[in-house]
Amino acid sequence: QQQVKQSPQSLIVQKGGISIINCAYENTAFDYFPWYQQFPGKGPALLIAIRPDVSEKKEGRFTISFNKSAKQFSLHIMDSQPGDSATYFCAALRQGAQKLVFGQGTRLTINP
Amino acid sequence: NAGVTQTPKFRVLKTGQSMTLLCAQDMNHEYMYWYRQDPGMGLRLIHYSVGEGTTAKGEVPDGYNVSRLKKQNFLLGLESAAPSQTSVYFCASSKWGLSYNEQFFGPGTRLTVL
């Protein structure tokens, strides 16, 4: 049973465009939602994270939008650049558990 | 400060062979984790440890064993490798805390079981 569902599986965006990746979760006990970025041949690295008491968090060109009632959250990459080409994973965590549950991943390609 | 390191980087095994993957961290983190990454499946937790001498099962523990004899090391063992264990394995570590602490990942080990 996939507790965090991520879509799309792959995404191609033109340079300068907006990349949007969506995730949905089932367990209402989750209370922390990070996004990880992974470049080829590397391990994932934390990109940005949000708690459900806010609806949006922005760091530079990266924004998380969170809809608690719908149990959905999304990553928006503004002015997408070729250097953003990577695999992105959403994840969820229940406080105190220290165990992340990951989505399936999205391979993002930014065409120059 | 190397962060999280993993050895080996690549390995090819035959079905039934055994091997151990080593993870080391120099950040004095209490928690350590082993994940496997498969296409379309994301990262799935195999085993984890909340401190030296303690281990616990994750989402997909069957066919794997782990040990945490030293705080900085976390070993993942495959006693009798199967083709279904072909995957990329990632180790991660994080600090102890009442709230969420970032998990830092190693570079991965690509394992092929023939």
Side-chain angles (χ1 to χ4, degrees), chain B residues 79-102:
Chain B
E79 291 185 349
S80 179
S84 61
Q85 294 177 305
T86 293
S87 187
V88 181
Y89 291 86
F90 287 98
C91 176
S93 71
S94 67
K95 289 186 339 182
W96 176 88
L98 294 178
S99 61
Y100 175 71
N101 287 297
E102 177 182 353

Side-chain angles (χ1 to χ4, degrees), chain A residues 32 36 38 43 89 93 98-99, chain B residues 31 33 37 90 99-100 106:
Chain A
Y32 194 84
Y36 278 77
Q38 183 184 29
F89 293 97
L93 179 76
Q98 291 295 339
K99 293 187 294 180
Chain B
Y31 295 164
Y33 312 83
Q37 182 177 8
F90 287 98
S99 61
Y100 175 71

Side-chain angles (χ1 to χ4, degrees), chain A residues 25 28 43 46 81:
Chain A
Y25 63 97
T28 55
L46 180 65
Q81 299 297 312

Side-chain angles (χ1 to χ4, degrees), chain A:
Chain A
Q1 181 185 4
Q2 191 73 34
Q3 294 190 60
V4 178
K5 295 183 179 180
Q6 183 173 345
S7 63
Q9 204 166 7
S10 63
L11 179 63
I12 299 174
V13 175
Q14 294 300 310
K15 179 183 175 181
I18 303 173
S19 304
I20 302 175
I21 304 171
N22 300 300
C23 285
Y25 63 97
E26 299 173 0
N27 189 343
T28 55
F30 289 143
D31 62 358
Y32 194 84
F33 302 89
W35 284 87
Y36 278 77
Q37 181 187 53
Q38 183 184 29
F39 293 106
K42 306 292 185 182
L46 180 65
L47 179 65
I48 186 173
I50 196 169
R51 294 191 183 277
D53 53 349
V54 297
S55 60
E56 185 177 283
K57 183 173 182 180
K58 184 176 181 180
E59 291 184 2
R61 296 183 294 108
F62 299 90
T63 300
I64 300 178
S65 297
F66 189 85
N67 186 330
K68 188 173 182 178
S69 60
K71 293 188 287 185
Q72 296 175 347
F73 58 110
S74 59
L75 176 69
H76 296 236
I77 306 175
M78 310 300 289
D79 187 27
S80 299
Q81 299 297 312
D84 297 330
S85 296
T87 298
Y88 292 81
F89 293 97
C90 62
L93 179 76
R94 178 173 54 84
Q95 187 177 22
Q98 291 295 339
K99 293 187 294 180
L100 285 169
V101 178
F102 283 89
Q104 298 93 323
T106 297
R107 178 173 289 184
L108 174 65
T109 302
I110 308 300
N111 284 335

